[in-house]
Amino acid sequence: MSPDLRVSFAGVEFANPIMTASGCCGYGEELAKVYPLSKLGALVTKSVTLKPRLGHPPPRTAETASGMLNAIGLANVGIDCFITDKIPFLEKQKTRVIVNVAGSSLNEYVEVCGRLSDIARVDMIELNISCPNVDEGGMEFGADPVMTEKLVAAVKKVFPRPVIAKLSPNVTSIATIAAAAEQGGADALAVINSLVGTAIDVETWRPRLTYNKGGLTGAAIKPVALAMVNAVHEKCRLPIIGIGGISNGSDAVEFFLCGATAVQVGTALFIEPDVPVRMLGELKAYLKRKKLSSIGELTGKVRKY
Ligand code: DHB
């Protein structure tokens, strides 16, 4: 029998546990030209804010040893255009749709999430309380347990379907923030967002990003992400979506063992847009080889010393 790749959490079933990470494939239109989005467990959109944003001037990405820095500055079309121009495309896709929402104030988050509440195609919201690249809001919310709880609770009041809190690794104790999100009523957690970093051009003495710093992603952050998924899993009962440097089936298995129910693939999409499709085959082969029938048999099963 072929292993079952379906996973479910927060009352929603996903065809498989592989999702795209926010910001790494826009609103899905380009990716759909490469393969049917039905191959994905879910598509997670770029952060949507109340007003359209141009983001920071280029250069806003830079390659580093085994990773990537970005300071995009939440460039996006804004909620009005998202609803009129992007939702019709997403309506037609046979995958789960998770809309990532960002804001610079609690009211902004609430307004955007309220606008999404009656669009049934939006299966879940992922709250970006961890963007390192804006001067207001962003990481501030996710660095403070009181604000995290307040924000999640406020969004839960206006959005009737599951809410995921995407946590920042740039904190003293990610498990404390996870517990606050749980207290606020979050249905799941996404662990982790990017780590603050920078890189300098030694000829010009200028940072390689116009924002002077950015978020580090890719293979470089995988060990950090695994430890944080593990720490959150030990403290908190919510389902976890693991993120950070995942580019093959084996990476995903590591995240499942540390406590993840699903995973998101981000930076690897820039190198190999169909990496989720390859990973599905690798995961199936792994389950078969280990004589397991579902992903759930891996979640949280790391054998600690
Ligand atoms: C941006 C970067 C991030 O790492 C993130 O989590 C959210 C937004 C950005 O610059 O747009």
Side-chain angles (χ1 to χ4, degrees), residues 139-208:
M139 214 158 67
E140 273 168 38
F141 285 101
D144 177 348
V146 176
M147 271 161 82
T148 297
E149 181 179 338
K150 226 170 125 180
L151 181 68
V152 173
V155 166
K156 280 297 289 179
K157 278 202 190 121
V158 297
F159 187 76
R161 293 177 298 286
V163 172
I164 304 162
K166 183 167 181 179
L167 307 185
S168 172
N170 305 297
V171 294
T172 312
S173 164
I174 195 166
T176 303
I177 306 293
E182 183 173 32
Q183 196 63 33
D187 300 278
L189 302 169
V191 180
I192 58 174
N193 207 318
S194 53
L195 282 145
V196 172
T198 194
I200 313 294
D201 181 325
V202 297
E203 294 309 316
T204 62
W205 299 13
R206 282 186 180 281
R208 287 166 60 199

Side-chain angles (χ1 to χ4, degrees), residues 230 233-234 254 256-259 298-304:
N230 199 85
H233 183 65
E234 279 174 358
E254 285 190 78
F256 297 140
L257 291 171
C258 283
L298 294 168
T299 296
K301 296 288 165 51
V302 63
R303 293 177 182 153
K304 290 214 181 140

Side-chain angles (χ1 to χ4, degrees), residues 3 249-250 253 257 281-292 298:
S250 164
V253 170
L257 291 171
E282 291 168 355
L283 278 180
K284 257 189 199 152
Y286 178 84
L287 291 179
K288 238 180 184 164
R289 183 164 65 77
K290 291 289 190 184
K291 300 195 173 21
L292 298 169
L298 294 168

Side-chain angles (χ1 to χ4, degrees), residues 222-244:
K222 196 184 82 174
V224 177
L226 282 168
M228 289 191 167
V229 166
N230 199 85
V232 169
H233 183 65
E234 279 174 358
K235 171 102 177 210
C236 168
R237 297 152 70 96
L238 292 178
I240 299 169
I241 305 167
I243 323 170

